[in-house]
Amino acid sequence: GLVSITAPCGNVECGSAFGLAIVGGCVYEGTSMLMKKLKVDDPIDAFAVHGACGAWGTIAAVLFDMGAGFDQYNAWSGFSCNLDDDGNCAKGAW
């Protein structure tokens, strides 16, 4: 659960974080069993923990963002850059 909530920890509310960790535990168990069934040599389940649960956490950061719609992320007013007079990103902003 901890690896699953690392990416979205600043973007989700407490209840969602708990649910994401529970799902992350299920992702871990499923991936671990699949790796054993496929006879992949991973004695400490590093891929199941960091690969599969990390991927789930990255996807969950987007799906469970507490922002409002696509114009607002992480309860802010969206990601923006400094704009030139013509509305394009300023060259020095990046």
Side-chain angles (χ1 to χ4, degrees):
L2 181 60
V3 173
S4 298
I5 194 56
T6 301
C9 69
N11 295 37
V12 297
E13 296 176 353
C14 293
S16 297
F18 181 74
L20 296 177
I22 296 296
V23 172
C26 295
V27 168
Y28 163 74
E29 285 294 326
T31 305
S32 178
M33 288 189 291
L34 179 65
M35 298 278 287
K36 288 176 185 163
K37 185 174 180 95
L38 295 175
K39 297 184 181 183
V40 175
D41 185 23
D42 189 5
I44 57 172
D45 278 342
F47 174 76
V49 173
H50 297 283
C53 293
W56 160 244
T58 304
I59 293 168
V62 176
L63 296 177
F64 295 93
D65 194 321
M66 66 182 168
F70 292 110
D71 294 332
Q72 187 171 355
Y73 302 96
N74 196 20
W76 298 344
S77 59
F79 297 111
S80 63
C81 59
N82 295 329
L83 300 178
D84 285 334
D85 294 332
D86 59 359
N88 293 326
C89 284
K91 292 177 181 138
W94 294 102

